[in-house]
Structures are given as C-alpha cells and as structure tokens.
Amino acid sequence: EDKVVQSPLSLVVHEGDTVTLNCSYEVTNFRSLLWYKQEKKAPTFLFMLTSSGIEKKSGRLSSILDKKELFSILNITATQTGDSAIYLCAVDSGGGADGLTFGKGTHLIIQP
Amino acid sequence: DAGITQSPRHKVTETGTPVTLRCHQTENHRYMYWYRQDPGHGLRLIHYSYGVKDTDKGEVSDGYSVSRSKTEDFLLTLESATSSQTSVYFCAISESGEGYGYTFGSGTRLTVV
C-alpha cells in the first residue's frame, strides 16, 4: 500500500520566520511528487518534482526531492500571515490516471 | 475555479437516505476524481473516471457509487448515508491523468445526522 507521511502535522511560527515542511513516501512506483496549498477551499498546485536534487522555486517557496532517501521538503522563507494554510504533499505513483496518494497535511499558522 | 463546479456546496441529510453530489466541468478533461477529506486522514480517493462510462474504485469506495454518462458530469452517490460519511468531498479533474494537471473543485461539506 502506498504511503505518504508529512511532518510536522501542525506548526505555529511568527511572521518572518523560515519554515521547513517534510514529506516522506513509500510507493510501489514513483512518477512525481506534488505540493499543494489549501486555504479554506480547494487545494491549489504549488510544485511538481520528478528528478532528484532539482530545486523548484516560486518566490519565497522552494522544494527539493531526494529520490534515494524517498523524501521531499518544502521551504518557505520570510513567512507572511497569508502563508497560513494546510500544505499537502501527494505522490503520483505512476498510475496517474487512478489518482494521487496524499499525506495528512501540515497545518501551518503564521502569527503576526 | 470556474472550470469545475460542485453542487451542492453544503448539505445536511439524515442517516439512511441516499445522497448525490455533482461535479460539473467545462474543460472537457478526460479524468475526473472524487476525494474525501477528513481531519487526521488527509485526502483519500473514493472513485475515479477515465472516460465516459469508465470508472474505477479508489481507496475508500465502500458505500459509494459513481456514474459518468457524459464527459462534463461525474456524480457521486451515497446509497444509504451513514454518520461516518460526514466529510468534505472534493472533485478533481485532469486532462492527462498526471498529478500536476489536477484542478480541484471548491468542495461539498456533507453532514449526516
């Protein structure tokens, strides 16, 4: 059974701090790992990673994948209150047509 | 997202009643998915469709059925609702079936009393 584990499950930091969110996985096949941000409604896509060691960046957010050690991290620098959300990690295990396997998410709260 | 809408947005129903949730897309995407999201469990796949009349079960399909009679609509039916099916239900669409192409609907909050 495919498994995706995120840590921590919740995190409270102050505005301006840097945070690192973790995602480890065990899957039978691996095609890609994805990060989503979920505020009050639908998850929105952040990054997709397919190759080890390549960093994806978008503004203050960045992510890297380690396919050997089977994990990924999502970094957010200079956090803002608008970064408060649930961050979801998901793995596409090659049968992309039959859905993604999601972790439980990290609930990030940024305090002013 | 304007390309995918779910209805209803909220629903309260009684135990034992049938309930149908609708997902409608205007993107003409081939793949459609139903997930449920519960505290402590994340998003879990219920059923998915890879074309008209082509559907398959996901991780938590017991107690649910789906139908897709046309490309734009994917219906999720709870045949006899139970309190354990109280959840937020998300529909997603994908053109290619690959994860980066997923677009999620805004969700349906279902409460079974």
Side-chain angles (χ1 to χ4, degrees), chain A residues 52-68:
Chain A
S52 212
I54 294 176
E55 185 178 20
K56 291 282 184 87
K57 292 193 74 169
S58 177
R60 297 176 293 101
L61 277 67
S62 64
S63 182
I64 197 161
L65 173 68
D66 186 327
K67 283 176 73 175
K68 182 180 176 185

Side-chain angles (χ1 to χ4, degrees), chain B residues 30-74:
Chain B
R30 179 180 175 188
Y31 300 95
M32 298 185 76
Y33 309 84
W34 276 108
Y35 285 87
R36 61 178 288 176
Q37 187 174 34
D38 305 290
H41 287 280
L43 280 155
R44 293 180 291 173
L45 183 66
I46 305 171
H47 280 278
Y48 63 97
S49 170
Y50 45 96
V52 173
K53 299 193 192 304
D54 290 323
T55 64
D56 209 343
K57 296 179 180 180
E59 178 189 354
V60 290
S61 60
D62 286 350
Y64 301 94
S65 62
V66 290
S67 66
R68 192 166 177 204
S69 59
K70 41 187 181 174
T71 300
E72 56 266 36
D73 289 324
F74 192 32

Side-chain angles (χ1 to χ4, degrees), chain B residues 12 53 85 89 105 112:
Chain B
V12 179
K53 299 193 192 304
Q85 294 176 311
Y89 292 85
V112 183

Side-chain angles (χ1 to χ4, degrees), chain A residues 1 31-32 34 36 38 40-45 48 86 88 92 95-105, chain B residues 9 31 33 35 37 40-45 48-50 59 90 96-102 104-107:
Chain A
E1 181 184 329
R31 178 184 292 186
S32 63
L34 303 101
Y36 287 85
Q38 185 178 24
K40 295 197 174 158
K41 296 183 180 176
T44 54
F45 173 77
M48 181 178 76
I86 296 173
L88 299 167
D92 179 351
D98 58 359
L100 303 175
T101 301
F102 282 85
K104 295 180 181 181
Chain B
R9 294 295 306 278
Y31 300 95
Y33 309 84
Y35 285 87
Q37 187 174 34
H41 287 280
L43 280 155
R44 293 180 291 173
L45 183 66
Y48 63 97
S49 170
Y50 45 96
E59 178 189 354
F90 285 100
S96 66
E98 293 183 12
Y100 72 92
Y102 276 45
F104 283 85
S106 297

